[in-house]
Amino acid sequence: MRVDMTADRRLGSAGIRVLDLSRLLPGGFATVLLADLGADVIKVESPDGGDYGRLVDPATFAALNRNKRSVVLDLRDPAGRETLLRLVERSDAVVESYRPGVLTGMGVGYERLREVNPRVVLCSITGFGQTGPYAARPGHDLNFLALSGFFAVPHRPGESVDRVGVRVADLAGAMYAALSLVVAVAAAQECGEGQHLDVSLHEAAASWAGPLALPLLGLADPADSPLVTGDNDVFTVADGRRIAFASFEDKFWLVFRKAFAAEFPELDDDQYDRRADRTRARKEVRELLTAVFARRDLAWWCAELSRLDLPWAPVYETPGEFLADEHVAARDLVGVLPGSATAGPCRQVRFPVRFGAGLDSLRGAAPGHGEHTAEILAELER
């Protein structure tokens, strides 16, 4: 499948249609990536309020469901399932996030879908996959990370790894789902046969953690990893703000040390000028930098570091700081999405790839519950 992002030849215009039966983050993020790229994504929602995200977190729901259409179908009812199958006949892919076996139990599992459309790709996103001893277990992002090796990768000596606020497993799984779906749809267009994609959020997180976690096998202390250093960390400055500093290469350490040796005499020492020496003394290096950064406030450090060719950044801890960043503004990374029937205009991050042929990923607001039901059902009669 050739992906041409010109305004009149996006995925949707090329006839790529995806039925999104999922709820909440993983399926929503997977399908919004496709919708941003122009696919016609139809969000299939239940009559009883639809996606939980509408009530739980309307702003996040809006970001995960822009550029989609919504149709209400009751899949517990034979008529609703029959309408779904009619939509499948005209679609390239179905994305779902039920527990394993639920779709089959409703009479619309993969074997039934392929009966009506041999080319259809079913993408099932679950916590632990369709098979295995954990397949039926409930779970959320934190559980998948806990079992994935994510917490086995240390970031500094002597401290346990803690969670991050971003739902890493959910988003990793969503990205693998979107990528695999595009490949599978392209293959189906070539050979006429679809397939069932089994996406496990646990395995997606393990895929991200694996290249860093598995090399630690055999180490008495995982913090002995050469990737754990004292000069690649977040440091608190005098006014309580934080700076991310990462002088992994020797050249950056030398620039930093020599530039500030007069201000901070403890830096006037060449014992850590080689990467191997800094790694071996990672604890001492971190203590040195912790003490140095703590002696001036953020404004001072930003002014001084901005003059140097160094990998550093202030830590943004509010959305407002992120939005005010000059680089974010220059790249038009955040745009204002038009308001919908249920919400006003809102800021959202655009699709994070710039296409030379152009791509407008902030085209339409998230749909209201069932907003396009009549429109989509009418299309089935044409």
Side-chain angles (χ1 to χ4, degrees), residues 87-112:
L87 285 170
V88 169
E89 290 177 1
R90 303 184 182 200
S91 300
D92 297 275
V94 177
V95 176
E96 61 98 4
S97 58
Y98 293 101
R99 291 202 205 183
V102 170
L103 215 59
T104 299
M106 290 192 292
V108 287
Y110 177 61
E111 294 303 321
R112 182 70 184 104

Side-chain angles (χ1 to χ4, degrees), residues 123-147:
C123 179
S124 296
I125 304 174
T126 59
F128 298 102
Q130 299 294 302
T131 61
Y134 296 168
R137 284 176 60 167
H140 285 297
D141 183 86
L142 188 59
N143 311 123
F144 311 139
L145 290 179
L147 293 168

Side-chain angles (χ1 to χ4, degrees), residues 75-351:
L75 299 185
R76 296 167 298 186
D77 181 76
R81 295 193 293 272
E82 181 60 32
T83 301
L84 175 69
L85 292 174
R86 292 178 65 197
L87 285 170
V88 169
E89 290 177 1
R90 303 184 182 200
S91 300
D92 297 275
V94 177
V95 176
E96 61 98 4
S97 58
Y98 293 101
R99 291 202 205 183
V102 170
L103 215 59
T104 299
M106 290 192 292
V108 287
Y110 177 61
E111 294 303 321
R112 182 70 184 104
L113 299 185
R114 69 180 299 193
E115 286 178 7
V116 300
N117 181 357
R119 293 173 50 254
V120 75
V121 173
L122 173 62
C123 179
S124 296
I125 304 174
T126 59
F128 298 102
Q130 299 294 302
T131 61
Y134 296 168
R137 284 176 60 167
H140 285 297
D141 183 86
L142 188 59
N143 311 123
F144 311 139
L145 290 179
L147 293 168
S148 71
F150 181 86
F151 291 88
V153 181
H155 60 286
R156 61 173 67 111
E159 296 188 24
S160 61
V161 180
D162 205 349
R163 68 173 297 185
V164 296
V166 175
R167 294 346 187 218
V168 177
D170 286 352
L171 296 176
M175 294 177 74
Y176 281 117
L179 173 62
S180 301
L181 189 146
V182 169
V183 172
V185 168
Q189 290 179 335
E190 291 292 328
C191 70
E193 288 290 329
Q195 58 185 296
H196 187 185
L197 302 177
D198 177 3
V199 179
S200 158
L201 301 178
H202 164 245
E203 290 168 12
S207 178
W208 279 24
L212 300 175
L214 295 182
L216 303 177
L217 285 169
L219 292 181
D221 182 354
D224 287 338
S225 164
L227 297 182
V228 178
T229 66
D231 55 325
N232 187 344
D233 213 332
V234 173
F235 300 93
T236 302
V237 298
D239 56 359
R241 297 295 305 275
R242 294 191 292 170
I243 276 183
F245 182 69
S247 65
F248 190 82
E249 297 93 337
D250 290 343
K251 63 180 180 180
F252 292 132
W253 174 263
L254 288 169
V255 168
F256 176 80
R257 186 178 71 75
K258 292 179 178 180
F260 293 104
E263 187 78 22
F264 308 106
E266 57 265 52
L267 291 175
D268 191 15
D269 187 338
D270 64 3
Q271 66 174 316
Y272 302 134
D273 284 356
R274 294 171 62 88
R275 174 72 270 161
D277 294 327
R278 293 197 303 284
T279 299
R280 191 176 303 109
R282 52 175 66 86
K283 182 179 179 182
E284 292 80 4
V285 170
R286 183 169 188 273
E287 290 173 350
L288 170 64
L289 291 176
T290 297
V292 166
F293 279 113
R295 286 159 60 185
R296 297 290 185 273
D297 63 18
L298 184 65
W300 188 91
W301 280 112
C302 288
E304 296 299 319
L305 289 170
S306 293
R307 302 187 180 102
L308 303 172
D309 183 30
L310 288 173
W312 72 281
V315 174
Y316 292 157
E317 302 190 60
T318 69
E321 290 176 310
F322 165 73
L323 288 172
D325 186 279
E326 62 179 352
H327 187 75
V328 170
R331 296 277 294 177
D332 294 320
L333 182 56
V334 178
V336 177
L337 199 68
S340 67
T342 57
C346 58
R347 292 188 179 95
Q348 292 186 12
V349 176
R350 61 165 170 78
F351 190 85

Side-chain angles (χ1 to χ4, degrees), residues 14-35:
I16 306 303
R17 172 176 285 180
V18 179
L19 303 180
D20 180 8
L21 277 60
S22 70
R23 297 181 177 185
L24 300 176
L25 179 55
F29 190 68
T31 52
V32 80
L33 296 177
L34 302 172

